[in-house]
Amino acid sequence: MPGIEEKKTEIAGAICAPPEPSGDAQALPTQPRQPRSLHGLLQFAMEATRAEDAPYDSPFVSMDEERKKWLEDAIKSMTIDVIQLLQKQIEILQKVDQIKRDDDISLYEEAVETILDHVDHIDVACDFHKIGGFTVLYPCLKSPHPKIRAAGCELLAVLCQHNPYCQQVVLDNQFIPKLLNIIEKDEDMHVAIKALYGLSAIVRHSEEGFGQFIHYNGPVILLQALDRGDDKLITKATFLLSSLCSSQPDFKSRLIFLDYIPILIALILRERQPSHEHVMSLLSGLIEDNVTGLGECRNPKYDLQQVLKNYIQNYGEKPECLEEVQHCRRILYLVFGLN
């Protein structure tokens, strides 16, 4: 694939580029030509270091053909053909829907891990789709093995992160309702968390993704997810919702209409968890410049002013609680005008 070969050349050039000259540039010895291939990299290294291995007046001696071939073969053996490697993993995962609940799944887990090692690069992620890699995603998501389902969700997330091409592919293939179904119904919390990770990678910064999220009842499903009690799930859900509130002007009104505010206040009242920072951030975002949200927070039945004051009193001196305490102060100011 030309894109991958070009990247190999760029990397080789970057690694071997000489340092920036300092002082009198004329005093520096002449640098060998920078390599444009792995073969050139070998010669560059030999020429650049020959002064350390022999007197300055020693001529550069050409390598005999036998030794040259041995070194070229050694370089080739260290070169990874990424596309070929990915194709092998795809072949393994094409059988994922044949495994039974009690089967050993280590081979399939290793295949996903190998793919993950490479597709965080946007070009490779796109190539992964072009060689048929996306056909293994749905079979992974519906596997009877939680680890395979979680691995499939994570792979989907990494492929789509900041990648409009891959985002469009999964949107065209209706992956958002599949992920929402996992978040809502999967009994394994780790799988649900990974599915939310995948959903976030598709929906954020994508107008079509956001539209599908709304169409398939995403806000209601995430509201229910907040009540599942898992702190990591709450953290990821509130982070995604806060991000969408910032990028979608009308979204906060939708969440207020769905009664998110009472749920968020109830979460604050629970024993302090790391997710509290994100819960309070979302609550602060919902009520800012929103008259309906402010009015809801002033409802005496929540006693929100006292709840927030108690929180500051209990956690205000703890360094790990700094962000959430700041959010408390912000909410107190927005709702009650207190500094």
Side-chain angles (χ1 to χ4, degrees):
M1 306 292 286
I4 294 175
E5 293 303 322
E6 290 172 4
K7 292 297 178 185
K8 290 178 180 177
T9 301
E10 292 173 9
I11 292 169
I15 292 173
C16 301
E20 290 293 329
S22 58
D24 183 5
Q26 297 298 322
L28 293 173
T30 303
Q31 294 291 332
R33 184 185 299 273
Q34 293 185 33
R36 295 290 180 183
S37 66
L38 287 174
H39 178 76
L41 174 60
L42 175 62
Q43 181 142 350
F44 176 90
M46 293 179 66
E47 289 187 17
T49 60
R50 61 179 175 143
E52 301 173 8
D53 302 328
Y56 283 99
D57 56 356
S58 296
F60 178 77
V61 179
S62 297
M63 192 182 301
D64 64 77
E65 290 301 318
E66 183 178 354
R67 184 165 179 78
K68 183 187 295 184
K69 184 178 185 307
W70 182 87
L71 284 171
E72 288 176 347
D73 289 343
I75 289 175
K76 287 179 182 178
S77 71
M78 293 185 293
T79 303
I80 298 175
D81 186 330
V82 175
I83 296 303
Q84 185 178 17
L85 180 65
L86 293 177
Q87 287 173 329
K88 288 181 179 178
Q89 311 316 311
I90 292 169
E91 289 174 7
I92 293 171
L93 292 173
Q94 283 173 342
K95 300 175 183 178
V96 76
D97 56 355
Q98 300 175 16
I99 59 177
K100 297 179 175 59
R101 187 175 296 273
D102 296 328
D103 288 348
D104 180 10
I105 61 170
S106 57
L107 180 65
Y108 303 96
E109 290 182 285
E110 290 171 7
V112 176
E113 286 298 325
T114 300
I115 295 170
L116 286 170
D117 286 340
H118 294 90
V119 295
D120 56 348
H121 190 291
I122 288 179
D123 290 342
V124 180
C126 296
D127 288 337
F128 180 73
H129 168 254
K130 293 171 185 176
I131 61 175
F134 278 46
T135 59
V136 306
L137 291 173
Y138 186 49
C140 286
L141 297 188
K142 63 178 185 177
S143 169
H145 291 269
K147 289 184 178 179
I148 296 295
R149 296 199 301 276
C153 291
E154 182 172 5
L155 177 55
L156 186 61
V158 173
L159 287 165
C160 293
Q161 195 79 40
H162 308 300
N163 191 328
Y165 175 88
C166 290
Q167 286 174 350
Q168 191 60 53
V169 171
V170 300
L171 289 171
D172 291 343
N173 287 276
Q174 300 292 298
F175 271 91
I176 283 184
K178 295 177 177 65
L179 292 172
L180 287 170
N181 185 63
I182 292 173
I183 294 167
E184 181 180 19
K185 298 178 180 178
D186 202 296
E187 295 179 358
D188 191 289
M189 201 61 66
H190 182 64
V191 178
I193 291 167
K194 291 294 184 181
L196 188 47
Y197 175 32
L199 179 71
S200 181
I202 301 167
V203 170
R204 294 174 65 206
H205 314 301
S206 169
E207 288 296 326
E208 184 176 348
F210 176 74
Q212 286 195 20
F213 174 70
I214 297 297
H215 177 75
Y216 290 109
N217 219 19
V220 172
I221 291 172
L222 291 196
L223 179 64
Q224 295 167 351
L226 295 180
D227 201 37
R228 294 189 68 174
D230 185 270
D231 198 62
K232 289 184 179 179
L233 190 67
I234 293 170
T235 296
K236 286 192 175 295
T238 50
F239 177 82
L240 171 58
L241 292 166
S242 291
S243 176
L244 293 176
C245 284
S246 298
S247 61
Q248 304 291 337
D250 298 329
F251 186 58
K252 61 173 66 178
S253 294
R254 183 185 296 271
L255 297 187
I256 293 169
F257 176 78
L258 290 172
D259 284 336
Y260 262 79
I261 286 178
I263 296 295
L264 296 175
I265 294 174
L267 289 174
I268 295 172
L269 285 168
R270 293 181 182 179
E271 183 179 353
R272 191 261 166 189
Q273 299 287 341
S275 64
H276 275 49
E277 175 187 340
H278 301 282
V279 170
M280 292 178 181
S281 176
L282 177 57
L283 180 58
S284 176
L286 286 180
I287 62 179
E288 190 163 11
D289 299 324
N290 192 292
V291 175
T292 305
L294 290 170
E296 179 71 10
C297 286
R298 290 176 183 136
N299 191 321
K301 68 180 179 179
Y302 301 129
D303 197 15
L304 183 59
Q305 181 174 328
Q306 192 59 47
V307 168
L308 296 175
K309 285 182 176 180
N310 290 342
Y311 201 97
I312 294 171
Q313 182 178 352
N314 292 333
Y315 302 107
E317 301 301 322
K318 296 185 177 182
E320 67 272 20
C321 302
L322 177 62
E323 294 292 334
E324 55 219 60
V325 168
Q326 288 178 343
H327 288 308
C328 281
R329 297 187 188 281
R330 177 66 176 162
I331 296 167
L332 281 170
Y333 173 76
L334 290 172
V335 180
F336 304 106
L338 300 176
N339 291 317

PDB file of all heavy atoms in Angstrom, residues 218-232:
ATOM      1  N   GLY A 218     -30.778   7.487  22.292  1.00  0.00           N
ATOM      2  CA  GLY A 218     -29.546   7.485  23.064  1.00  0.00           C
ATOM      3  C   GLY A 218     -29.628   8.213  24.395  1.00  0.00           C
ATOM      4  O   GLY A 218     -29.179   7.682  25.417  1.00  0.00           O
ATOM      5  N   PRO A 219     -30.209   9.428  24.462  1.00  0.00           N
ATOM      6  CA  PRO A 219     -30.270  10.137  25.742  1.00  0.00           C
ATOM      7  C   PRO A 219     -31.023   9.369  26.828  1.00  0.00           C
ATOM      8  O   PRO A 219     -30.625   9.395  27.997  1.00  0.00           O
ATOM      9  CB  PRO A 219     -30.990  11.445  25.376  1.00  0.00           C
ATOM     10  CG  PRO A 219     -30.655  11.661  23.939  1.00  0.00           C
ATOM     11  CD  PRO A 219     -30.636  10.294  23.334  1.00  0.00           C
ATOM     12  N   VAL A 220     -32.084   8.689  26.456  1.00  0.00           N
ATOM     13  CA  VAL A 220     -32.854   7.912  27.444  1.00  0.00           C
ATOM     14  C   VAL A 220     -32.037   6.710  27.924  1.00  0.00           C
ATOM     15  O   VAL A 220     -32.008   6.395  29.122  1.00  0.00           O
ATOM     16  CB  VAL A 220     -34.195   7.444  26.844  1.00  0.00           C
ATOM     17  CG1 VAL A 220     -34.898   6.479  27.800  1.00  0.00           C
ATOM     18  CG2 VAL A 220     -35.085   8.629  26.533  1.00  0.00           C
ATOM     19  N   ILE A 221     -31.352   6.045  26.993  1.00  0.00           N
ATOM     20  CA  ILE A 221     -30.540   4.873  27.355  1.00  0.00           C
ATOM     21  C   ILE A 221     -29.388   5.274  28.267  1.00  0.00           C
ATOM     22  O   ILE A 221     -29.068   4.572  29.228  1.00  0.00           O
ATOM     23  CB  ILE A 221     -30.039   4.163  26.082  1.00  0.00           C
ATOM     24  CG1 ILE A 221     -31.225   3.518  25.366  1.00  0.00           C
ATOM     25  CG2 ILE A 221     -28.974   3.119  26.417  1.00  0.00           C
ATOM     26  CD1 ILE A 221     -30.901   2.942  24.005  1.00  0.00           C
ATOM     27  N   LEU A 222     -28.768   6.422  28.006  1.00  0.00           N
ATOM     28  CA  LEU A 222     -27.682   6.873  28.882  1.00  0.00           C
ATOM     29  C   LEU A 222     -28.217   7.323  30.243  1.00  0.00           C
ATOM     30  O   LEU A 222     -27.526   7.165  31.261  1.00  0.00           O
ATOM     31  CB  LEU A 222     -26.893   8.006  28.227  1.00  0.00           C
ATOM     32  CG  LEU A 222     -26.050   7.627  27.004  1.00  0.00           C
ATOM     33  CD1 LEU A 222     -25.036   8.728  26.705  1.00  0.00           C
ATOM     34  CD2 LEU A 222     -25.336   6.303  27.181  1.00  0.00           C
ATOM     35  N   LEU A 223     -29.414   7.854  30.274  1.00  0.00           N
ATOM     36  CA  LEU A 223     -30.031   8.195  31.563  1.00  0.00           C
ATOM     37  C   LEU A 223     -30.199   6.930  32.406  1.00  0.00           C
ATOM     38  O   LEU A 223     -29.909   6.912  33.605  1.00  0.00           O
ATOM     39  CB  LEU A 223     -31.375   8.872  31.333  1.00  0.00           C
ATOM     40  CG  LEU A 223     -32.164   9.281  32.586  1.00  0.00           C
ATOM     41  CD1 LEU A 223     -31.405  10.330  33.383  1.00  0.00           C
ATOM     42  CD2 LEU A 223     -33.548   9.791  32.206  1.00  0.00           C
ATOM     43  N   GLN A 224     -30.642   5.851  31.770  1.00  0.00           N
ATOM     44  CA  GLN A 224     -30.783   4.572  32.470  1.00  0.00           C
ATOM     45  C   GLN A 224     -29.421   4.020  32.886  1.00  0.00           C
ATOM     46  O   GLN A 224     -29.290   3.404  33.947  1.00  0.00           O
ATOM     47  CB  GLN A 224     -31.508   3.572  31.562  1.00  0.00           C
ATOM     48  CG  GLN A 224     -32.947   3.971  31.243  1.00  0.00           C
ATOM     49  CD  GLN A 224     -33.554   3.157  30.121  1.00  0.00           C
ATOM     50  OE1 GLN A 224     -32.856   2.384  29.456  1.00  0.00           O
ATOM     51  NE2 GLN A 224     -34.844   3.320  29.902  1.00  0.00           N
ATOM     52  N   ALA A 225     -28.407   4.263  32.054  1.00  0.00           N
ATOM     53  CA  ALA A 225     -27.055   3.778  32.372  1.00  0.00           C
ATOM     54  C   ALA A 225     -26.524   4.430  33.646  1.00  0.00           C
ATOM     55  O   ALA A 225     -25.792   3.801  34.415  1.00  0.00           O
ATOM     56  CB  ALA A 225     -26.109   4.051  31.202  1.00  0.00           C
ATOM     57  N   LEU A 226     -26.887   5.689  33.874  1.00  0.00           N
ATOM     58  CA  LEU A 226     -26.447   6.378  35.088  1.00  0.00           C
ATOM     59  C   LEU A 226     -26.971   5.697  36.343  1.00  0.00           C
ATOM     60  O   LEU A 226     -26.384   5.801  37.420  1.00  0.00           O
ATOM     61  CB  LEU A 226     -26.909   7.836  35.070  1.00  0.00           C
ATOM     62  CG  LEU A 226     -26.319   8.741  33.993  1.00  0.00           C
ATOM     63  CD1 LEU A 226     -26.891  10.150  34.119  1.00  0.00           C
ATOM     64  CD2 LEU A 226     -24.798   8.781  34.073  1.00  0.00           C
ATOM     65  N   ASP A 227     -28.080   4.985  36.199  1.00  0.00           N
ATOM     66  CA  ASP A 227     -28.699   4.338  37.353  1.00  0.00           C
ATOM     67  C   ASP A 227     -28.189   2.912  37.567  1.00  0.00           C
ATOM     68  O   ASP A 227     -28.621   2.243  38.502  1.00  0.00           O
ATOM     69  CB  ASP A 227     -30.222   4.310  37.163  1.00  0.00           C
ATOM     70  CG  ASP A 227     -30.965   4.139  38.471  1.00  0.00           C
ATOM     71  OD1 ASP A 227     -30.514   4.715  39.481  1.00  0.00           O
ATOM     72  OD2 ASP A 227     -31.984   3.428  38.483  1.00  0.00           O
ATOM     73  N   ARG A 228     -27.236   2.456  36.712  1.00  0.00           N
ATOM     74  CA  ARG A 228     -26.713   1.102  36.873  1.00  0.00           C
ATOM     75  C   ARG A 228     -25.687   1.012  38.005  1.00  0.00           C
ATOM     76  O   ARG A 228     -25.314  -0.074  38.425  1.00  0.00           O
ATOM     77  CB  ARG A 228     -26.084   0.607  35.560  1.00  0.00           C
ATOM     78  CG  ARG A 228     -27.095   0.431  34.443  1.00  0.00           C
ATOM     79  CD  ARG A 228     -26.508  -0.255  33.227  1.00  0.00           C
ATOM     80  NE  ARG A 228     -26.184  -1.655  33.501  1.00  0.00           N
ATOM     81  CZ  ARG A 228     -25.764  -2.514  32.566  1.00  0.00           C
ATOM     82  NH1 ARG A 228     -25.613  -2.107  31.312  1.00  0.00           N
ATOM     83  NH2 ARG A 228     -25.483  -3.766  32.890  1.00  0.00           N
ATOM     84  N   GLY A 229     -25.206   2.171  38.458  1.00  0.00           N
ATOM     85  CA  GLY A 229     -24.380   2.197  39.661  1.00  0.00           C
ATOM     86  C   GLY A 229     -22.896   1.976  39.452  1.00  0.00           C
ATOM     87  O   GLY A 229     -22.140   2.040  40.422  1.00  0.00           O
ATOM     88  N   ASP A 230     -22.455   1.729  38.227  1.00  0.00           N
ATOM     89  CA  ASP A 230     -21.024   1.520  37.991  1.00  0.00           C
ATOM     90  C   ASP A 230     -20.338   2.869  37.781  1.00  0.00           C
ATOM     91  O   ASP A 230     -20.731   3.647  36.903  1.00  0.00           O
ATOM     92  CB  ASP A 230     -20.807   0.627  36.767  1.00  0.00           C
ATOM     93  CG  ASP A 230     -19.350   0.287  36.575  1.00  0.00           C
ATOM     94  OD1 ASP A 230     -18.648   1.050  35.870  1.00  0.00           O
ATOM     95  OD2 ASP A 230     -18.892  -0.730  37.108  1.00  0.00           O
ATOM     96  N   ASP A 231     -19.295   3.144  38.553  1.00  0.00           N
ATOM     97  CA  ASP A 231     -18.682   4.467  38.530  1.00  0.00           C
ATOM     98  C   ASP A 231     -18.021   4.775  37.191  1.00  0.00           C
ATOM     99  O   ASP A 231     -18.087   5.908  36.709  1.00  0.00           O
ATOM    100  CB  ASP A 231     -17.649   4.581  39.662  1.00  0.00           C
ATOM    101  CG  ASP A 231     -17.300   6.021  39.965  1.00  0.00           C
ATOM    102  OD1 ASP A 231     -18.214   6.777  40.363  1.00  0.00           O
ATOM    103  OD2 ASP A 231     -16.128   6.395  39.790  1.00  0.00           O
ATOM    104  N   LYS A 232     -17.373   3.779  36.588  1.00  0.00           N
ATOM    105  CA  LYS A 232     -16.714   4.015  35.296  1.00  0.00           C
ATOM    106  C   LYS A 232     -17.746   4.284  34.203  1.00  0.00           C
ATOM    107  O   LYS A 232     -17.540   5.128  33.333  1.00  0.00           O
ATOM    108  CB  LYS A 232     -15.846   2.820  34.920  1.00  0.00           C
ATOM    109  CG  LYS A 232     -14.590   2.685  35.767  1.00  0.00           C
ATOM    110  CD  LYS A 232     -13.730   1.532  35.280  1.00  0.00           C
ATOM    111  CE  LYS A 232     -12.459   1.419  36.119  1.00  0.00           C
ATOM    112  NZ  LYS A 232     -11.609   0.277  35.667  1.00  0.00           N
TER     113      LYS A 232
END
